[in-house]
C-alpha cells in the first residue's frame, strides 16, 4: 500500500508566505522520508491565482482522489 504525507493549508499567493509554508513542509517531509510528500491548498482563489501564474497546486479533493488506491 502506498503511504503518503499530505500537507494541507489554506495556501497563499504571497511569495514570502509561500516560502514559510514550504519551510514547514520540508520539515514534515524530512520526518517521514519513507512517505511520498504531497501538498494541497484549500482556497480555490489561491489555487486559481497560482494556476494563472503557471504554478498549479491541487485542492484537497483532487489530491485525495489521486492518492486513494483504486479497486
Amino acid at each position: 500500500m502506498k503511504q503518503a504525507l499530505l500537507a494541507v493549508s489554506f495556501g497563499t499567493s504571497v511569495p514570502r508566505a509561500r516560502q514559510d509554508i514550504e519551510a514547514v513542509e520540508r520539515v514534515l517531509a524530512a520526518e517521514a522520508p519513507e512517505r511520498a510528500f504531497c501538498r494541497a491548498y484549500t482556497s480555490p482563489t489561491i489555487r486559481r491565482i497560482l494556476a494563472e501564474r503557471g504554478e498549479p497546486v491541487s485542492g484537497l479533493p483532487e489530491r485525495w482522489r489521486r492518492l486513494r488506491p483504486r479497486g
Side-chain angles (χ1 to χ4, degrees), residues 6-11 38-48 50-51 55-67:
L6 177 57
V8 181
S9 65
F10 181 84
C38 305
R39 91 170 35 103
Y41 283 178
T42 59
S43 171
T45 302
I46 297 298
R47 291 193 318 270
R48 179 185 50 77
L50 293 175
E55 306 172 38
V57 176
S58 297
L60 183 57
E62 175 189 355
R63 180 57 75 175
W64 183 250
R65 278 190 301 274
R66 290 195 289 178
L67 287 173

Side-chain angles (χ1 to χ4, degrees), residues 12-58:
T12 181
S13 60
V14 178
R16 176 66 183 125
R18 285 187 68 204
Q19 290 174 359
D20 292 341
I21 291 172
E22 291 168 358
V24 172
E25 292 173 343
R26 281 192 298 278
V27 171
L28 292 171
E31 290 297 318
E34 72 284 358
R35 295 177 186 247
F37 180 83
C38 305
R39 91 170 35 103
Y41 283 178
T42 59
S43 171
T45 302
I46 297 298
R47 291 193 318 270
R48 179 185 50 77
I49 291 167
L50 293 175
E52 289 170 356
R53 292 181 187 171
E55 306 172 38
V57 176
S58 297

